[in-house]
């Protein structure tokens, strides 16, 4: 069945406006709006039916069906003494006739937001969607698009006219224009801004997110200027692993993503930040998937630590040589006593790949540990009362205390 025959069959059953008729054949043709496509179909049907009527064919029923939604056909029938009333579109009820007007309200809502990309989302009356589904299923339409898709596109195109230079991005827009076609309400959702980078922590009194004990500041606090730069109302940090507040993060730094919520600006990277406690180096904008990748990667990263360790018993180079036994070992750890309130029975296994050491004095030695991410390094050294095994303390058979701990690199 060709397009004209199928369209006539549909119009016999339902009065449809130009947009709703044309939308059923949206995949046919190129560079046509649905209303143009629907109008062209009706015009061709009008020409065909009027010609057949004048040749004596009994097409009055089809003419009346078309006349319900086509003014030239109503005029023709009126000229031969047949009156037909204009009918409301069965699917949209006239909803599609002026959706572009919402673009002006959206532009007002977007004033004051420095953005580059946007998307449009709409809420339609449920009965409109149900009626569209009814028509599509009844006539087995496989060439159409949804009314929501059409309306979103038309409003988006109008916004582009009013705000030249902006771009539509349906996957990761800076802002989402939401339009409720039930209530007529228009609002704008400012999506979070995600900035990837690395940080170094030079102080032993700075935590990642929360202040406690003798911690003087948090990395989260120190990066508040990034939130302010983009006019955000809140910011979060997503980090690939973590170090204790009294451990320094050195070397090339630890990857992180700063999330700025509800920003009013989406352009321009922050500059490098340094205050003696931390160094922050931004790399660029990123996407939500990068946060998940950071979290997953933290479990498999290879990390190099330096620890300065106190031993209750005096040690010699010969004693420290025993630590070679730990190279290539799998370490079993129960949740450390210092944090076991979170999950006291949880246990994990992590690999220790390499160890190196240097005796500083009979009671102090320096230890370098290359290991799998997620190893509780302090507990690996002092044993945590047997909750970590094997441990450095177990091998050396002495009480150990970690005096300093630094993260030197993350591979």
């Amino acid at each position: 069945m060709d397009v004209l025959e199928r369209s006539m069959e549909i119009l016999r059953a339902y009065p449809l406006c130009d947009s709703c008729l044309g939308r059923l054949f949206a995949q046919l043709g190129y560079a046509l709006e649905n209303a143009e496509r629907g109008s062209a179909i009706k015009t061709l049907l009008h020409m065909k039916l009027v010609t057949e009527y004048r040749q004596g064919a009994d097409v009055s029923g089809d003419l009346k069906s078309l006349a319900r939604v086509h003014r030239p056909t109503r005029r023709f029938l009126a000229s031969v003494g047949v009156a037909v009333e204009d009918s409301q579109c069965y699917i949209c009820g006239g909803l599609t006739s002026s959706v572009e007007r919402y673009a002006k309200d959206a532009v007002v809502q977007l004033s004051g937001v420095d953005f580059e990309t946007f998307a449009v989302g709409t809420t339609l009356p449920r009965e409109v969607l149900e009626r569209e589904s009814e028509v599509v299923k009844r006539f087995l339409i496989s060439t159409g698009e949804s009314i929501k898709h059409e309306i979103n596109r038309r409003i988006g195109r109008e916004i582009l006219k009013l705000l030249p230079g902006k771009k539509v991005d349906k996957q990761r827009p800076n802002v989402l224009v939401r339009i409720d076609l039930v209530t007529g309400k228009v609002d704008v959702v400012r999506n979070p801004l995600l900035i990837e980078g690395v940080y170094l922590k030079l102080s032993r009194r700075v935590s990642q997110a929360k202040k406690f004990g003798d911690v003087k500041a948090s990395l989260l606090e120190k990066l508040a200027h990034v939130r302010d730069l983009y006019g955000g109302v809140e910011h979060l940090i997503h980090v690939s692993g973590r170090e204790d507040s009294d451990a320094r993060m050195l070397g090339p730094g630890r990857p992180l993503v700063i999330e700025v919520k509800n920003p009013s600006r989406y352009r321009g990277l922050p500059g490098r930040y340094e205050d003696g406690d931390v160094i922050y180096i931004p790399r660029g904008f990123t996407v939500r998937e990068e946060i998940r990748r950071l979290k997953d990667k933290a479990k498999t990263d290879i990390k190099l630590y330096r620890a300065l360790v106190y031993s209750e018993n005096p040690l010699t180079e010969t004693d420290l040589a025993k630590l070679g036994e730990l190279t290539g070992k799998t370490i079993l750890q129960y949740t450390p006593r210092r944090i076991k309130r979170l999950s006291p029975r949880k246990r994990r296994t992590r690999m220790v790949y390499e160890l190196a050491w240097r005796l500083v004095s009979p009671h102090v030695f320096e230890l370098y540990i290359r290991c799998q991410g997620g190893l509780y390094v302090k507990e690996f050294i002092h044993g945590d009362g047997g909750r970590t095994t094997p441990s450095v303390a177990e091998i050396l058979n002495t009480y150990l205390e970690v005096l300093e701990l630094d993260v030197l690199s993350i591979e």
Side-chain angles (χ1 to χ4, degrees), residues 106-107 110-111 115 118 158-167:
V107 169
L110 289 166
S111 62
F115 70 99
F118 74 96
E158 191 67 19
I159 292 174
L160 289 173
K161 291 179 183 178
L162 298 172
L163 296 175
K166 307 303 182 185
K167 297 179 181 178

Side-chain angles (χ1 to χ4, degrees), residues 285-302:
F285 298 116
T286 188
V287 295
R288 183 68 60 182
E289 289 76 10
E290 177 63 15
I291 296 175
R292 289 190 283 271
R293 191 191 71 82
L294 276 182
K295 302 291 187 183
D296 292 339
K297 190 171 180 291
K299 302 172 186 176
T300 57
D301 279 336
I302 297 175

Side-chain angles (χ1 to χ4, degrees), residues 359-373:
L359 190 64
V360 177
S361 71
H363 290 276
V364 177
F365 64 96
E366 201 170 40
L367 184 62
Y368 292 87
I369 307 165
R370 187 169 177 266
C371 61
Q372 183 182 356

Side-chain angles (χ1 to χ4, degrees), residues 73 90 182 218 255 301 312 315 375 379:
T73 307
Y90 176 76
V182 179
S218 71
D301 279 336
E312 184 176 64
L315 299 172
L375 179 75
E379 283 70 23

